[in-house]
Amino acid sequence: MKRIVVAGAMALSFIMPVQAQQKTNPEEIKQKMQWFADAKLGIFIHWGIYAVKGIDESWSFHNKKISHADYMAQMKGFTASKYDPQAWAALVKESGARYAVITTKHHDGVALWDTKFNKLSTARGTPAKRDVLTPFFDALRKENIKAGAYFSLLDWTYPDYPGFLKDSTRYKISEQPKRWAKFQQFYQGQMAEVMTRFNPDLWWFDGDWEHSADEWQATKVRKMLTDHNPNTIINGRLTGYGDYDTPEQNFPVQRPQFHWWELCMTINNNWGYQPQDTNWKTPYEVITIFADAISNGGNMLLDIGPKEDGTIPEPQVHVLKELGKWNKKHDKAIFGTVGGIPQGHFYGPTTLSKDSTTLYLFLPGNVSGKVMVKGLDNKIEDITVVGNGAKLSHKIVGKISWSPVPGLVYITVPANVQDEYMTVLELKLDKPVKLYRGKGGLNG
Ligand code: H79
């Protein structure tokens, strides 16, 4: 019996690598996290030489689907010839996102700025011949959008980095500590370049899993970044020495461990541009996933993959624009709210105003007309369809006069007030939300 339990636990940890524990104190970082908590939506951008052949970012050579030399030869095809950073920033704005995160360097080691450390940059090694990040950071800031830097800690191309292909490494740190020290200086030097050049509002680290916090010098790195900018936000992939949790692709069913969290997700099946991948998530799917994230107190970081020339494929633009339309219409139910009431009271996502006197119910677009809320121990003063203005009435069902248990709230939602994606109802309550969480016994 015991053996079965152990095997089960191992299988589970294979599917879900153990998430790092938060090693920063939520109380100490609360203030700087406020804009992030209010922002709800970010746009992730994976842009790099992998868009030339349209293959997996870095993983394609790591997993030996292509030789490292052929992978790096893509540098000759990265032109950025139609790159319009203002248009990118305008699209991010139109989606309703309050922040964007762009790859400054992926696991392949190719920098998108003009690093002084080597020739592996869009500035020195590609026909684009320039730092493509500066104009985008500038454009974001002009649009008042927070600007984040994705930065891969590991660098499979750097000759003094241990890891290389999935089944081969260059050396062991224990055997060649000086060689590792050389890499530490290199990666921290590049990080300092990004820090001083762009002063990111947010650092999105990736690739921490190949080494320990000690090996990365995680506390030193965190100190360097926060000394430079005390308000910069760091994701949890600095072996736990960050500020928020980053479930990737896998949708949480319960709230993740860190106080703040963000679901990062591709718009099709891949992070970078891949022409054969047309498995676009629909606006409805993206919107319902987004609603689910904010209902659980999180953010969504939705990824797009531009082509090597800097154009953003039309289906990606379409999803962002539809999402933006819906965000604009439902602005007050989303931005500046907090996560909603616990599961079980309402069969769908919810959010609350910060003073919790307004409850927002997110309904799928095709509800047949009646929705129900359970265990709401408040008087409902008013119900409005967000972005539509229609007022709705409600009926209390099953309230026993002498029992403290609240009745069920039934709300009829006519078809003509419903949104094509998700209809949102605003319930104004008499006081901060109060929930009955009991088992329904006679004494409550
Ligand atoms: O940039 C995108 C991806 O390229 C990168 N992160 C997003 C944002 C990424 N892809 N996969 N991962 C990060 C996590 C990979 C985890 C694994 Fe493993 C590495 C699975 C197998 C090797 C760690 C080591 C977990 C299991 C073994």
Side-chain angles (χ1 to χ4, degrees):
M1 183 65 192
K2 203 171 176 196
R3 277 177 63 188
I4 293 168
V5 172
V6 171
M10 279 171 68
L12 196 66
S13 68
F14 177 71
I15 301 165
M16 302 189 298
V18 179
Q19 293 265 334
Q21 297 280 337
Q22 183 164 13
K23 302 198 174 73
T24 46
N25 178 357
E27 275 309 311
E28 280 168 18
I29 57 175
K30 209 162 144 187
Q31 229 175 346
K32 76 165 185 182
M33 295 305 288
Q34 199 53 57
W35 73 257
F36 181 83
D38 290 340
K40 310 297 181 191
L41 179 65
I43 300 298
F44 210 173
I45 302 173
H46 273 69
W47 198 28
I49 62 167
Y50 37 87
V52 173
K53 285 186 194 286
I55 53 177
D56 285 351
E57 67 291 344
S58 311
W59 294 92
S60 51
F61 74 81
H62 179 75
N63 289 330
K64 307 211 292 194
K65 289 184 187 152
I66 182 172
S67 71
H68 184 252
D70 286 347
Y71 180 93
M72 296 311 284
Q74 293 179 102
M75 289 191 79
K76 296 194 201 87
F78 187 87
T79 65
S81 58
K82 295 180 186 158
Y83 176 40
D84 183 347
Q86 277 79 27
W88 282 23
L91 181 64
V92 172
K93 184 92 179 173
E94 195 176 344
S95 76
R98 307 296 207 250
Y99 64 108
V101 179
I102 186 165
T103 45
T104 63
K105 183 178 97 156
H106 205 264
H107 313 327
D108 58 14
V110 181
L112 276 75
W113 77 99
D114 55 343
T115 179
K116 301 210 163 41
F117 285 85
N118 60 24
K119 292 192 177 131
L120 285 182
S121 67
T122 55
R124 292 217 239 170
T126 75
K129 278 199 184 143
R130 62 192 190 277
D131 151 23
V132 291
L133 295 179
T134 297
F136 184 55
F137 273 79
D138 288 349
L140 286 175
R141 284 170 168 150
K142 246 186 238 150
E143 295 274 17
N144 208 14
I145 298 166
K146 298 280 186 191
Y150 168 105
F151 186 95
S152 172
L153 297 170
L154 68 79
D155 185 331
W156 287 324
T157 297
Y158 194 75
D160 293 305
Y161 182 76
F164 181 36
L165 306 178
K166 64 175 176 180
D167 53 6
S168 62
T169 50
R170 297 186 177 96
Y171 67 97
K172 277 194 182 136
I173 295 177
S174 57
E175 288 163 10
Q176 300 187 47
K178 283 199 182 130
R179 203 169 166 191
W180 175 249
K182 196 171 163 205
F183 176 73
Q184 285 174 327
Q185 283 200 344
F186 163 72
Y187 100 81
Q188 289 168 19
Q190 282 202 322
M191 198 185 286
E193 285 183 333
V194 171
M195 177 179 83
T196 47
R197 180 78 61 89
F198 307 114
N199 193 21
D201 299 299
L202 185 152
W203 286 88
W204 213 101
F205 290 120
D206 202 5
D208 63 349
W209 62 83
E210 289 199 354
H211 297 282
S212 67
D214 274 356
E215 286 167 345
W216 290 122
Q217 299 182 314
T219 49
K220 176 184 166 198
V221 164
R222 182 178 171 89
K223 187 170 179 323
M224 172 175 91
L225 303 178
T226 54
D227 280 354
H228 181 78
N229 175 1
N231 288 323
T232 197
I233 292 176
I234 301 170
N235 78 338
R237 298 192 186 184
L238 185 60
T239 50
Y241 287 89
D243 304 313
Y244 72 90
D245 206 354
T246 58
E248 177 167 325
Q249 299 283 36
N250 300 310
F251 309 104
V253 176
Q254 296 180 19
R255 292 191 187 205
Q257 270 178 1
F258 284 35
H259 185 79
W260 295 273
W261 67 272
E262 168 202 74
L263 170 69
C264 61
M265 182 178 85
T266 54
I267 203 163
N268 48 357
N269 290 346
N270 289 282
W271 296 99
Y273 170 66
Q274 299 206 15
Q276 85 293 349
D277 180 358
T278 56
N279 190 20
W280 308 109
K281 293 181 178 73
T282 64
Y284 173 75
E285 288 157 1
V286 169
I287 286 166
T288 48
I289 293 165
F290 179 42
D292 193 52
I294 62 174
S295 173
N296 284 299
N299 290 4
M300 180 173 80
L301 184 62
L302 177 65
D303 180 73
I304 58 170
K307 295 184 183 179
E308 61 75 23
D309 65 4
T311 54
I312 300 173
E314 183 47 39
Q316 307 187 16
V317 174
H318 172 70
V319 172
L320 262 52
K321 287 189 171 175
E322 289 301 293
L323 174 60
K325 248 177 29 193
W326 184 82
N327 278 331
K328 201 167 178 191
K329 179 174 170 189
H330 300 99
D331 183 272
K332 61 177 168 180
I334 303 165
F335 303 100
T337 64
V338 295
I341 56 179
Q343 289 166 22
H345 293 273
F346 172 68
Y347 296 128
T350 61
T351 59
L352 284 161
S353 60
K354 280 183 185 157
D355 66 3
S356 81
T357 61
T358 306
L359 174 65
Y360 295 100
L361 307 178
F362 292 69
L363 331 176
N366 60 352
V367 287
S368 59
K370 281 197 171 55
V371 298
M372 186 263 273
V373 185
K374 200 160 64 169
L376 181 64
D377 197 3
N378 285 85
K379 187 167 164 282
I380 298 172
E381 298 194 325
D382 186 59
I383 303 178
T384 313
V385 181
V386 176
N388 170 287
K391 299 282 180 192
L392 303 183
S393 57
H394 68 285
K395 181 184 174 194
I396 304 290
V397 175
K399 173 78 184 98
I400 310 298
S401 61
W402 45 262
S403 165
V405 180
L408 307 172
V409 179
Y410 277 83
I411 307 164
T412 301
V413 189
N416 65 351
V417 303
Q418 295 196 21
D419 186 83
E420 64 181 306
Y421 298 125
M422 276 193 114
T423 308
V424 183
L425 305 185
E426 179 183 64
L427 275 60
K428 291 268 183 208
L429 309 176
D430 58 336
K431 57 182 194 283
V433 70
K434 196 175 163 216
L435 298 172
Y436 164 74
R437 310 264 309 146
K439 296 193 171 69
L442 290 180
N443 302 320

